[in-house]
Amino acid sequence: NSGGALIDMHGDLIGINTAIIAGRNGGGNEGIGFAIPINMAVNIVDQLASHGKVIRGYLGVHIEDVTPQMAQAFGLSHGGGALIADISPNGPAAKAGLKRGDIIEKLNGHRVEDFEELSVEISEMAPGAVAHLQIVRNGQTMQKDVTLGSFPTSSSGSSSSSGSEGSVLKGVQVQALTSTIAQQLNLPPGVSGVVVSQVDPNSAAAYANVERGDVIEEVDRKPVHNMSDYNAAVSAAGNKPVLLLIYRQGVTMYTVVQPQ
């Protein structure tokens, strides 16, 4: 059952059930189950007991898988690893000298098979710990040590709470538009801006029909290419009405967010 215990034949707890893919006919729940491994669950429980919240290591990069085709384009003999598609300004990776286009092959001496494996292992390391990375840059293998930060809240890092308490866009959280997100949203070439990751249903933006997954391309007729552009435009707008140009599902549209 979802949320229940996953035990082995000896009654030992080995995971926490999370979801089930039911059979085709919809009768019963005979299908494929998914669970959180117990070592991950124990780590989370320990942190909640000690700190009251979950504290995750933060590298400050947006990464994607290195497919065989991508490996060929980068001059590698094999796929695998994690490609850095974007870097958070002033984040741990940026401070350590990592760059867009670097391919992370190893973490702490262990080979990285894909970006999900790297994400999980980094999140399980403590802030302040040093991640020893082996990367490939322009065909050259090099070592980089990164002192991890704390995973940012929605008001810092790669996401934003859209400014101060007095902002008309209070309640809107956005994140950088990376190549991975663009692919997930099936965006055509040329679309730039920031992606709405969350909208408070009681906010002025929700009333103006701003939705999760929208790409904000302009704020008050000012082009938005990155998080810095967005934050500067929102700060300049303050609590006045703001005109947004939004890309959604193949079309662009304007909407005005009025102060509540």
Side-chain angles (χ1 to χ4, degrees):
N1 64 308
S2 298
L6 176 65
I7 60 175
D8 63 13
M9 295 179 64
H10 304 289
D12 296 322
L13 181 64
I14 61 174
I16 305 297
N17 296 318
T18 58
I20 297 171
I21 298 180
R24 292 183 179 179
N25 297 327
N29 285 323
E30 299 83 2
I32 301 174
F34 298 86
I36 300 172
I38 195 59
N39 58 323
M40 295 180 65
V42 167
N43 181 39
I44 291 172
V45 169
D46 288 344
Q47 291 192 52
L48 290 173
S50 301
H51 309 290
K53 61 181 179 179
V54 178
I55 302 174
R56 292 187 170 93
Y58 176 62
L59 189 58
V61 296
H62 298 281
I63 52 178
E64 55 187 87
D65 282 340
V66 181
T67 64
Q69 295 82 3
M70 199 175 292
Q72 184 177 6
F74 277 86
L76 302 177
S77 60
H78 55 80
L83 171 65
I84 297 179
D86 201 3
I87 295 184
S88 300
N90 300 317
K95 293 178 181 178
L98 291 176
K99 298 180 179 180
R100 181 185 301 157
D102 288 346
I103 296 175
I104 301 174
E105 287 193 316
K106 292 184 179 180
L107 169 62
N108 296 332
H110 300 290
R111 179 167 177 79
V112 174
E113 297 298 335
D114 52 41
F115 82 94
E116 289 184 352
E117 179 182 355
L118 178 66
S119 297
V120 170
E121 292 190 14
I122 289 293
S123 70
E124 291 184 338
M125 296 178 67
V130 177
H132 305 285
L133 303 178
Q134 177 176 302
I135 68 169
V136 175
R137 177 184 299 169
N138 298 326
Q140 301 295 317
T141 300
M142 58 185 68
Q143 309 296 322
K144 291 286 185 179
D145 289 342
V146 183
T147 301
L148 300 180
S150 297
F151 195 85
T153 62
S154 60
S155 61
S156 62
S158 63
S159 297
S160 169
S161 59
S162 74
S164 65
E165 285 296 314
S167 170
V168 69
L169 290 177
K170 175 187 175 183
V172 178
Q173 296 179 10
V174 300
Q175 63 187 90
L177 178 58
T178 66
S179 58
T180 301
I181 295 175
Q183 185 177 11
Q184 293 172 345
L185 296 177
N186 197 27
L187 301 180
V191 175
S192 63
V194 295
V195 181
V196 177
S197 58
Q198 186 173 335
V199 181
D200 185 337
N202 297 316
S203 67
Y207 186 78
N209 198 31
V210 178
E211 300 178 358
R212 183 174 181 269
D214 287 347
V215 178
I216 299 176
E217 295 190 295
E218 293 181 2
V219 176
D220 281 340
R221 307 301 298 272
K222 298 181 179 67
V224 173
H225 300 290
N226 49 45
M227 292 289 294
S228 297
D229 290 346
Y230 175 81
N231 288 330
V234 170
S235 178
N239 197 36
K240 297 177 294 184
V242 62
L243 175 66
L244 301 180
L245 176 64
I246 290 174
Y247 180 94
R248 179 190 298 166
Q249 297 179 356
V251 297
T252 55
M253 62 188 77
Y254 284 102
T255 185
V256 177
V257 181
Q258 299 279 0
Q260 289 181 310

